[in-house]
Amino acid sequence: MFRQITRRFHALASSKPFTITPEIQNALAKKGPVVALESTIISHGMPYPQNVETARAVEDIVRAQGAIPATIAILKGQVHIGLEDEKLEQLGKMGAKAQKSSRRDLALILSKRGYGATTVASTMILARAAGIPVFVTGGIGGVHRGADQSFDISADLTELGRTPVAVVCAGVKSILDIEKTLEVLETQGVSVTTIGERRFPAFYIPDSGFDSPSCVYDESEAAELIYHNHRLELNSGMVFAVPIPKEQAADTQSIQKAIDTALAEVRSNGISGKDETPFLLRRVSELTKGESLAANIALIKNNAKVGARIAVELSKSYTNS
């Protein structure tokens, strides 16, 4: 398995569309722990300068646990695995001018030498291509409320069914239909595991009201699951859900009220597709007077700590195999 990853990495490191920082190249060559990070959370998830400050803080947290951060984005038609400070600043200032990029958008953005911020789905693809098995994000996409009419289901779920990258998150975004999302993940054959708890989290709050399909005690057990997923060559992703610490969670009632209001505005304004989630997150933050944004920042930092520890433990497994 690792030989396949190494061959893919060397091919991409020498190909024109990919720029991999020397630090990450060195870590991958030595089977060291690297953590992929998405860039949509920078361009579309938070306002400047909080987005850049949070991104840098997340990278610092990953390093503090002994892993190397690899923020992924597309700049001038070039896939960047790892962003230097000035490029991170550039992306943060661009904000939504950088195109929100899922699987379907990657080739188009490269062909037009454009700027793209990677979603969960596209970050998984590019992390896999670079040989990075662990990816940290805030929350995954899923089945939108009212999907029985709109058929709006995130490409994240399909990608999880076919790309073997472990995604460490705070569960499914609270604005979505969590019960139906868990059903689709089961259909896609995706392993869904909560770390430390039996209940599946709901992004801003630690308990969605649904049990998780499985749970593990700590990061070492999570790494063991990933290792065996690779050994079996299942070729499907894994979701590791990390509940936001209760002291940093948002108030359940205020969050639900804000979500209901924001959803009504989405329907009345005809907002749909890739514009819906950024709008909902922004409006929920406005309606909760920043409470949801504070929880969002707290949970991504917590996920980064857990994800980096998983990457370190997984690196030990590969080194000893």
Side-chain angles (χ1 to χ4, degrees):
M1 177 66 187
F2 191 81
R3 289 191 187 94
Q4 294 174 357
I5 291 174
T6 302
R7 283 198 298 270
R8 186 179 298 108
F9 157 68
H10 285 303
L12 285 170
S14 61
S15 68
K16 291 183 180 179
F18 276 73
T19 297
I20 305 176
T21 66
E23 179 186 36
I24 294 170
Q25 288 189 43
N26 184 56
L28 291 172
K30 294 180 178 178
K31 305 181 185 178
V34 179
V35 174
L37 301 167
E38 64 156 291
S39 47
T40 295
I41 196 170
I42 301 170
S43 63
H44 291 70
M46 300 176 191
Y48 179 83
Q50 279 178 304
N51 54 359
V52 174
E53 292 168 357
T54 301
R56 286 178 176 151
V58 166
E59 290 193 346
D60 288 344
I61 290 167
V62 170
R63 291 185 189 282
Q65 309 308 314
I68 305 299
T71 300
I72 298 176
I74 303 171
L75 306 176
K76 293 184 179 179
Q78 193 86 2
V79 174
H80 286 259
I81 309 294
L83 294 179
E84 295 88 353
D85 276 349
E86 65 274 13
K87 289 185 173 65
L88 188 60
E89 184 79 20
Q90 178 188 15
L91 184 66
K93 287 181 177 178
M94 285 187 69
K97 291 179 182 178
Q99 183 176 338
K100 186 178 178 183
S101 310
S102 191
R103 170 182 278 266
R104 69 175 184 180
D105 308 301
L106 291 176
L108 180 63
I109 293 171
L110 264 63
S111 72
K112 292 184 175 296
R113 296 179 174 80
Y115 289 80
T118 56
T119 63
V120 169
S122 57
T123 304
M124 289 181 70
I125 294 166
L126 299 175
R128 168 65 174 166
I132 303 171
V134 178
F135 161 39
V136 166
T137 186
I140 62 171
V143 179
H144 284 250
R145 301 188 192 195
D148 55 329
Q149 298 296 319
S150 68
F151 288 89
D152 194 348
I153 300 174
S154 172
D156 296 352
L157 304 187
T158 305
E159 205 61 52
L160 278 159
R162 62 185 173 188
T163 302
V165 170
V167 180
V168 181
C169 61
V172 179
K173 294 184 177 73
S174 305
I175 57 177
L176 304 173
D177 189 320
I178 295 175
E179 183 177 20
K180 288 185 175 63
T181 299
L182 289 171
E183 289 292 340
V184 173
L185 286 170
E186 180 183 0
T187 301
Q188 292 287 341
V190 179
S191 171
V192 177
T193 304
T194 301
I195 299 180
E197 299 286 345
R198 187 67 199 182
R199 299 288 268 183
F200 189 78
F203 200 58
Y204 301 123
I205 56 178
D207 186 352
S208 67
F210 301 101
D211 283 338
S212 184
S214 64
C215 61
V216 293
Y217 178 72
D218 57 19
E219 294 88 352
S220 179
E221 288 187 8
E224 190 73 9
L225 271 182
I226 299 168
Y227 179 70
H228 285 285
N229 180 278
H230 290 175
R231 285 191 66 194
L232 289 167
E233 297 184 0
L234 294 176
N235 293 320
S236 55
M238 309 180 80
V239 172
F240 288 94
V242 183
I244 182 174
K246 291 180 181 178
E247 65 274 12
Q248 296 174 320
D251 178 73
T252 302
Q253 289 186 338
S254 65
I255 284 291
Q256 191 55 58
K257 182 179 179 181
I259 289 172
D260 291 341
T261 300
L263 283 168
E265 291 178 3
V266 160
R267 304 296 173 250
S268 63
N269 291 311
I271 299 169
S272 62
K274 65 181 180 180
D275 297 325
E276 182 172 329
T277 296
F279 175 85
L280 286 170
L281 293 176
R282 183 173 62 253
R283 280 298 288 144
V284 169
S285 178
E286 292 169 354
L287 292 165
T288 59
K289 298 180 180 179
E291 181 184 5
S292 68
L293 178 58
N296 194 352
I297 292 171
L299 69 84
I300 184 62
K301 290 180 178 179
N302 187 55
N303 294 348
K305 179 175 67 176
V306 174
R309 289 175 178 174
I310 292 173
V312 169
E313 293 297 322
L314 183 60
S315 176
K316 292 177 185 176
S317 298
Y318 279 125
T319 301
N320 296 330
S321 63

